[in-house]
Amino acid sequence: MSADTSVRPVPDAALVARMERLAAYIDAHLDEALPLARLAREAAMSPHHLQRTFTAVLGVSPKAYQASKRLAHFKGKLREGTDVLDATFDAGYGSTSRVYEQVTGGLGMTPSAYRAGGAGETITWAVRETAFGTLLMAATARGVCLVEFGDSAPQLAARLAAEFPQATLVPASEAAREPLDAWMDALDAHVVQGAPRPELPLDVRGTAFQIKVWRFLLSVKPGRVVSYGELADAIGHPQAVRAVGSACGANRLAVLIPCHRALRADGSLGGYRWGLERKRALLDRERAQAAQGG
């Protein structure tokens, strides 16, 4: 049997215009789930016919078109200075891991690298003393991946190694520590002097649920608190109070994601990865600064 060498007809001008309108519709709804059935209804075509026609006109399937445009939107937001959490949700990704699944290179640690203890990754880190104790900040090429408070530099270096046991950990040299120094200055000014939360580049990863918790915490203003139950309600999971507490405990970016503003329902502090005394001190300072400002 001979191969089919027939030439498929080029869609007529009306179909081309319809596909261009559908592409514009996808552009306007990048952050939404757009199954083929929904797009077919929008175009008033059968799913099969739409798939073939869109691919013939645009050169890619509707799904691939949306993925490409979504990723371009995400990268554009990063270039504009939007932090990773906001850029992730603005582009319609459910978690940062969804972004890393779409991208190779340039966006920090992939989920597989993280599961492998940072194998193949280079993480630069620096330590300094602050009013809240010794601070370690570590970053990949993408952004800050760890912010830890502790009692000594060796203790914090050991924590970093435990988080990323297979990564290449590089103490920042004097020549290369300028970004980390500036970022730690900004964080210290925020904590001690009440300066705005620094918009640092972040290399954040977590489950979709964790990202929801952390994103809501970013909306809680200094001087305010929220209970774990209120947080669960706010993200649409009212029964997941314990899971909310666990998500707060899984936060690796002290203060930058303000999990210290989450309390138990009775107003008690609950837990805190960096110690209850630091949590109490952070809240006391924020409340005092808020009272002075208003």
Side-chain angles (χ1 to χ4, degrees), residues 81-183:
T82 304
D83 66 53
V84 173
L85 286 177
D86 287 337
T88 296
F89 276 81
D90 285 344
Y93 295 109
S95 71
T96 51
S97 66
R98 294 290 304 279
V99 179
Y100 298 137
E101 288 167 5
Q102 301 293 323
V103 183
T104 56
L107 288 178
M109 187 173 296
T110 64
S112 59
Y114 182 71
R115 287 193 296 269
E121 294 295 323
T122 298
I123 298 175
T124 304
W125 60 278
V127 174
R128 71 184 306 170
E129 294 303 319
T130 75
F132 279 80
T134 309
L135 166 68
L136 179 145
M137 185 177 285
T140 65
R142 175 67 212 110
V144 178
C145 63
L146 189 72
V147 176
E148 288 270 11
F149 286 102
D151 298 324
S152 69
Q155 176 200 53
L156 292 175
R159 287 189 199 171
L160 174 63
E163 286 285 342
F164 304 110
Q166 302 303 318
T168 299
L169 305 178
V170 181
S173 66
E174 290 302 318
R177 65 179 292 146
E178 183 177 346
L180 283 174
D181 269 341
W183 295 344

